[in-house]
């Protein structure tokens, strides 16, 4: 097939890892084709995140909205398992990177997946709307189907702690602003608000949009695929996890457990017994 | 250098990962030279662990002592950060393997390193004893040097919860038994006991050997290098971490935080303020 | 309910963490009701694992079979991602526990889930057999349903490297032996073998049972719930991950990448370009 | 001490977790005293990161420099172990958050610690300069002491791939610019450059400042404590890790190992042997 078998093997090994993200030669680093020294100082952190994930630079209005979503979800305090895990880990004699990783590792389907699920839910509604002009009706059907499938929580709506999530209201305002200046269409903001309205009608009480539902509106407006809503949430929450791991490091403590030391847990198992003979 | 350049590149790539542990051909798997189908059914789990770490099969008495160390440290309950982390992680929508990894990740210098540090400490004493027949004197000097360096806790001694660690006493008995039958020398048991005795004399109160100090005696008697004392502890504690992650999975719960939900944390930071203009 | 409100809060906090696994008082540790000092020296590592997961001690024959499953799957070499990840991590300046956790973290649905999926598949067949004496017919229907659903790989069957998995054959022999002495029923061994036979008939070529299919037979015979098949695989594979992380630590190296250093990856992205004005 | 013992216990539990970072009441979230709805839309992502870590908002020029450091270190390609680990993990059937955590977990002392070590090294020089006006002399002594201690690599200088790190040059230019407008003092830029110059004199060849040395200059100029240089690097590199994990997810693949599938590793262990009788 070829005259130079060594090139074949080298090529095969180099082809084992393929990427469109980064190209490197000695003294040269390019992300998506742009030289790093040109990007530095000309492109902000949110624009860089966009470029790395999407392959192209965003328009300024898009970058602003992404930055807003990223800065809005950084922390929810020491009761959130991801934060508590990182704080506990920080007292166990591991690196700050390991404590950070421990917190992020917990941002799974339940703790970090609501945004991804909400984007998926919005996408489903959006795609049905191609055949149906009536948004209320489309949302109603989507919610009916959702609850019929046995699901209990609409991802992105309701909060066990906040009656109204102060972040959601503010984020939607900023989406409206971006829509008014043409940076986004506003379609997903409309879908999100209709979900909230129909949900209230069905349930007989308000189950307001929460931070995940609102950032999902932004990620959907900006055209991110659903799994990246989780990915971007992880980048955002990393900030809070790091801040708490660092604060805990400064507070000190060794092998910090979840509750005060003199409190034990409740044992509900077998009473004391002897080994069988 | 060679007539076949392709072999060179292939060889270079294959040499990038070198191991003495496992050899594989299609339909053939050998650990340390032994065919897997011959090992299965003839070699126990503890023997396999020894073979994988050390390269040779242990004598029966060695394997028994290793097995005892492994089974003795599996769990210390939901107040231990590694266990609590795994239980919290198990409610966040991640896999059982991820919850297990989250717990193990926390077994760092403080939470999982005492055994390794104790083996190192014992090794230091043992090596001084080559020049000094008097074990009491050698231990005294080692402890003096240790406390002079600013260290506060002798690794493997004292426990914040147990006045006497019931595991340590029993483990030392079994080391004595193995020494009496010639499976180990008993040197490290003597060192450990002398550390306990001298420590009591220095401090004016008993600071008894704990589980880490006792398993460190076993690992040192068996000739494991100090870092593997941590590694083997991780294998042991993995059992408890998995049991708790699984129990928590069955109990259910979503995003379980460290303390009951209606209790928040204490905020000690800046009072409410407005953004500067 | 009570005259002492403080007890209420204390109780509520202590109830936040409930377990049937471990009870502790100062100087006293009991697993599933058994005092630790009584377990030590009387109960092996595999029996301890069983006790921790299941709540009761196994019969000797059961413990032996569990031990066989655990020792049979410890390693599959540096090409397996979990092993490679741990070896790379071990060159990055993190603890042995962190390297171990990094490897275990990768044992997800694809890399560590085949055993769990196989147990589930066997369970489905077993439960259909209550209504249908003919095992061949039941398995045929199960496979038909499986492939109709779009699935491509039957979990626990076929191997991309081994034409015959030498571990599976040997493990099944040992299950037969345990069945002949009444320690297990042998039902799942029969199901597994029938799956293999029917699969060959359907596909026109042999797709032999692999290690995951065979350990799944054992776990199902022993009555473990499917998710613990993954959990137990993680305990087993931890041994190999640790052995490789430790070997890599001894080999040294800093920031070891996947392929030799002078080989780069293949860049398939945008050609060099300048930032837009 | 008090009339209400229940308050005591509640207080003790709530005091177990203390933070100056976040305060929450139902419907109210404040970071460092600022209401979240006021921060959203008014404060960028880099400013938010600063606020979370430091407790106060940065000046604009400070935030710009932090943002530059964060965007400059996002990725170094699939040969970097953190990136390779995340890509491999992404093919193992775990969540995007788990793949991200696996990559970050590897950013230890060797793979992610150079920035922290460089800040520490700069701090040491800076503090010596209080007694010594001559920067060259101070740096010379610091390097002498460093090499005398047996260390081989000056953290933040030299690169095994890039003869000149294109990022370092550009970053230093931007520090100069910030110094010229009074946002930073420029002291650490001077220290960094002097280290480079003296190092060249000592070694007889140029060992140029790399990305870690340059971002360390920025973090030191901005007053971050050394451990946060690692923490902030983790936030930065998370972007690249996520981008690669996501790209790998889209490329597909199952259980992707480090090198092409038909290449194995080199086995250097014991030749085939039989179990002893």
């Amino acid at each position: 097939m070829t005259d130079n078998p060594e090139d074949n093997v080298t090529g095969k090994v180099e082809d084992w890892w393929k990427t469109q993200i980064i190209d490197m030669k000695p003294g040269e680093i390019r992300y998506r084709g742009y030289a790093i020294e040109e990007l530095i100082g000309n492109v902000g952190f949110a624009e860089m995140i966009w470029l790395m994930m999407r392959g192209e630079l965003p328009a300024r209005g898009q970058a602003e909205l992404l930055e807003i979503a990223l800065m809005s979800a950084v922390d929810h305090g020491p009761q959130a398992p991801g934060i508590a895990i990182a704080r506990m880990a920080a007292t166990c004699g591991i690196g700050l990177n390991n404590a950070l990783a421990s917190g992020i590792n917990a941002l799974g389907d339940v703790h970090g997946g609501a945004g991804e699920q909400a984007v998926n839910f919005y996408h489903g509604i959006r795609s049905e709307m191609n055949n149906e002009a009536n948004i209320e009706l489309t949302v109603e059907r989507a919610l009916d189907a959702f609850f019929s499938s046995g699901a209990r929580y609409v991802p992105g709506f309701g909060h066990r702690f906040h009656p109204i999530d102060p972040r959601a209201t503010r984020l939607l305002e900023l989406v409206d602003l971006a829509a008014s200046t043409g940076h986004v269409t506003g379609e997903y903001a409309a879908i999100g608000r209709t979900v909230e309205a129909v949900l209230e009608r069905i349930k007989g009480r308000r189950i307001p949009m929460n931070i995940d539902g609102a950032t999902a509106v932004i990620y959907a407006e900006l055209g991110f695929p659903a799994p990246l809503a989780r990915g971007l949430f992880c980048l955002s929450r990393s900030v809070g996890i790091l801040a708490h791991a660092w604060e805990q490091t400064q507070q000190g403590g060794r092998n910090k457990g979840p509750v005060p030391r003199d409190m034990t847990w409740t044992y509900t198992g077998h009473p004391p017994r002897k080994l069988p003979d």
Side-chain angles (χ1 to χ4, degrees), chain A residues 74-102:
Chain A
V74 291
D75 187 20
H76 207 252
Q79 265 281 25
I83 301 292
I85 285 173
R87 294 192 74 121
M88 290 165 67
T91 70
C92 292
I94 60 177
L96 206 46
N97 58 304
N98 305 121
L100 177 59
S102 298

Side-chain angles (χ1 to χ4, degrees), chain A residues 74-210:
Chain A
V74 291
D75 187 20
H76 207 252
Q79 265 281 25
I83 301 292
I85 285 173
R87 294 192 74 121
M88 290 165 67
T91 70
C92 292
I94 60 177
L96 206 46
N97 58 304
N98 305 121
L100 177 59
S102 298
I104 293 170
N105 212 32
L107 302 178
D109 287 349
V110 175
H111 191 25
E116 176 176 356
Q117 294 149 21
V119 171
N120 272 327
F121 191 66
Y122 298 158
H123 281 170
I125 293 166
R126 175 70 190 71
S127 111
E128 285 304 312
M129 281 176 61
N130 295 333
N131 310 313
E132 168 64 72
N134 189 325
I135 181 169
E136 288 250 344
L137 199 58
T138 314
V139 167
E140 222 172 274
R141 284 178 188 156
L143 283 170
D144 279 354
F146 185 78
F147 288 121
S148 303
S149 76
R152 293 173 55 201
Y153 307 103
V154 182
F157 292 83
H159 203 286
R160 66 186 159 113
F161 188 82
H162 302 298
I164 298 282
D165 190 322
R167 299 165 292 189
T169 319
R170 177 70 176 135
L171 288 171
L172 266 278
E173 275 174 32
L174 292 164
V175 175
D176 290 346
L177 193 66
S180 75
T181 52
H183 290 113
V184 296
T185 66
E187 283 177 303
Y188 288 98
I191 288 174
R193 284 186 170 115
T194 310
V195 170
E196 193 180 61
V198 174
L199 202 50
E200 181 168 5
R201 187 145 37 81
I202 294 177
K203 294 287 185 183
R205 65 193 160 83
R206 188 159 178 209
I207 301 173
M209 188 185 288
N210 61 31

Side-chain angles (χ1 to χ4, degrees), chain A residues 21-41:
Chain A
I21 299 172
I22 181 170
D23 195 16
M24 249 170 55
K25 298 184 181 59
E28 186 180 334
I29 303 172
R30 288 180 183 272
Y31 299 133
R32 307 290 192 180
Y34 298 114
I36 180 65
E37 65 272 20
E38 206 183 343
L39 290 165
I40 294 175

Side-chain angles (χ1 to χ4, degrees), chain A residues 209-232:
Chain A
M209 188 185 288
N210 61 31
I211 177 79
D212 298 309
T215 51
V217 163
I218 294 181
Y219 294 135
E221 291 278 353
L222 294 175
F224 282 95
L228 279 185
R230 182 191 310 210
L232 293 168

